[in-house]
Amino acid sequence: MVNFLNHILRAAKKYRTGIFCGILIFILLFSLLAVYPALTSRRTPQAQGYEGVVRIWQIDSFEGGKGSRAAFLNRAARNFEKEHPGILFIVSSHSAESAQNSYLSGDVPDIISYGNGIEFAAELAVPLKNCFFPFAKSDGKTYATPWCRGQYFLFSKDGDFSDMDANNTVLSQSGLAQTQLAAYLEGLRGDLEIKESIDAYQDFLSGKYQYLFGSQRDIWRFAARDIEVKVREVQSFCDLWQYISICSSDKGKRDISEDFIQYLLSESVQKQLVQIGMLSPNYKIYSGVNNFLQTAEKKTYAFQGISVFISRSGWDDLKEYAGSALKGDESCAKKLQNYLL
């Protein structure tokens, strides 16, 4: 190409007529336009070889452990890409509100990772292959599966949990978690104070409350400050599941998304959940004599739960019924049974 352009320039010098120069300039410009795409593509080698882009939304609807779930998904995606050249995963972090707003504006990802209370997930999720989970199925098909989980815990500095009541216990509210429902099913009763998690944690530390009804996040808060507490696992109910669903209508993206989910659920990847302080839905991954998460995962609980696809209005009703049931409202206690699985 360079020799061809030099040839044209030499000809222009030899024949210094306006018409001929105009023709040569036209040929030169046309030639440059013809080779421009090839020239620019060589300058952006990072765009070469990718056959598709898969977009993942990580939606934090409840507190995690000690690290970012979005960062964990991103690391898993990078490793998965090494075995699947031509595919690029883009992981975006969302709150429940920002995800809802993006969805309403017409933005739809290929994969969503989310907890309870994300209403639009029911409209987007497609059936998964080789997956079964009781809180994420409809008409015999499973539309989501958990890739990590949290758990509720009871904490005390010196009590034995036998005298817990509305006067000495604070409930820690984490995002869209149904904390009052968990407390009711665990047997607590009364007009219990419910506060945002960090406020509940600080009030417990200050001695305002003898007991804290919290989660795995508090395990790591105490560990970070080297504070010794007594811990008991909540065994009756859990809605702290981090689910994953496929939303894409493109068959190629669906297939690669299925492969990625199976990779995410593999034992080798699940064991890495210790990095972010979360529990695995399927494997025992913790060790250590005083590790309370290890104690929790060793036991098999018949957790009750709620459908991940509950509507937001249904979620609001459930929260209201649970709060009233805690205070002794038997009619609301009966209504709770319509939601539990």
Side-chain angles (χ1 to χ4, degrees):
M1 183 63 194
V2 175
N3 292 335
F4 173 68
L5 294 177
N6 289 334
H7 179 73
I8 292 176
L9 293 173
R10 286 197 299 271
K13 292 178 182 179
K14 183 176 180 180
Y15 303 99
R16 297 179 180 275
T17 64
I19 295 176
F20 191 72
C21 285
I23 294 173
L24 291 177
I25 291 172
F26 175 79
I27 295 173
L28 177 61
L29 291 174
F30 181 81
S31 301
L32 288 172
L33 288 173
V35 301
Y36 179 76
L39 292 173
T40 55
S41 66
R42 289 171 187 161
R43 294 185 188 128
T44 56
Q46 69 275 16
Q48 298 301 301
Y50 287 118
E51 298 172 358
V53 175
V54 178
R55 297 171 61 230
I56 303 177
W57 284 3
Q58 164 58 37
I59 305 171
D60 290 340
S61 56
F62 64 89
E63 281 190 314
K66 60 176 180 178
S68 165
R69 281 160 283 179
F72 186 92
L73 284 176
N74 195 58
R75 288 192 296 271
R78 298 289 81 79
N79 290 330
F80 182 82
E81 288 170 355
K82 294 176 183 178
E83 300 179 4
H84 297 79
I87 301 297
L88 173 66
F89 284 82
I90 299 177
V91 180
S92 301
S93 183
H94 278 277
S95 66
E97 292 74 17
S98 67
Q100 180 72 13
N101 291 335
S102 294
Y103 167 71
L104 292 176
S105 69
D107 189 10
V108 176
D110 302 300
I111 299 174
I112 51 173
S113 169
Y114 59 105
N116 288 98
I118 309 302
E119 187 171 27
F120 66 83
E123 301 178 29
L124 296 179
V126 301
L128 296 176
K129 300 176 183 177
N130 304 316
C131 290
F132 172 81
F133 197 70
F135 308 146
K137 66 177 184 176
S138 178
D139 297 327
K141 298 178 180 178
T142 297
Y143 289 80
T145 190
W147 63 271
C148 69
R149 73 173 176 92
Q151 183 163 326
Y152 294 105
F153 290 91
L154 303 175
F155 301 94
S156 172
K157 289 183 180 178
D158 51 23
D160 63 0
F161 305 104
S162 62
D163 60 339
M164 293 179 68
D165 60 31
N167 296 318
N168 61 16
T169 305
V170 61
L171 305 183
S172 174
Q173 179 61 42
S174 167
L176 296 176
Q178 289 282 356
T179 308
Q180 290 172 301
L181 177 57
Y184 171 79
L185 293 174
E186 192 65 10
L188 292 176
R189 297 293 185 270
D191 189 8
L192 285 94
E193 188 81 21
I194 183 166
K195 296 188 175 184
E196 290 297 319
S197 63
I198 189 64
D199 294 330
Y201 166 78
Q202 291 175 343
D203 282 350
F204 171 75
L205 284 185
S206 70
K208 185 176 181 180
Y209 297 96
Q210 185 178 357
Y211 298 104
L212 169 67
F213 190 104
S215 73
Q216 76 291 331
R217 182 66 184 93
D218 296 296
I219 292 282
W220 297 109
R221 286 190 176 112
F222 292 126
R225 298 180 64 172
D226 199 23
I227 298 174
E228 292 188 8
V229 292
K230 295 180 180 179
V231 182
R232 195 181 83 186
E233 306 88 1
V234 171
Q235 304 180 18
S236 53
F237 173 84
C238 183
D239 64 337
L240 304 179
W241 304 96
Q242 188 71 40
Y243 292 93
I244 194 163
S245 290
I246 298 173
C247 307
S248 178
S249 58
D250 180 270
K251 184 181 183 305
K253 288 186 177 183
R254 283 191 185 186
D255 290 344
I256 200 68
S257 297
E258 287 275 6
D259 290 343
F260 175 71
I261 289 176
Q262 292 304 314
Y263 171 74
L264 186 63
L265 298 178
S266 66
E267 185 175 5
S268 61
V269 176
Q270 289 286 291
K271 285 185 174 180
Q272 297 173 36
L273 287 171
V274 296
Q275 298 171 1
I276 59 171
M278 297 296 285
L279 291 152
S280 168
N282 303 310
Y283 298 98
K284 295 178 175 62
I285 62 175
Y286 285 93
S287 61
V289 176
N290 296 318
N291 192 313
F292 298 115
L293 293 180
Q294 181 192 24
T295 303
E297 69 182 359
K298 277 186 176 180
K299 299 179 180 179
T300 301
Y301 302 129
F303 282 127
Q304 287 185 283
I306 57 176
S307 171
V308 65
F309 300 122
I310 187 174
S311 68
R312 190 55 187 267
S313 61
W315 187 93
D316 290 337
D317 289 342
L318 183 58
K319 183 178 181 181
E320 180 182 347
Y321 298 151
S324 297
L326 271 174
K327 299 173 186 177
D329 189 323
E330 292 299 325
S331 64
C332 285
K334 291 180 180 178
K335 291 177 181 178
L336 293 178
Q337 301 306 314
N338 296 325
Y339 295 88
L340 293 171
L341 299 173

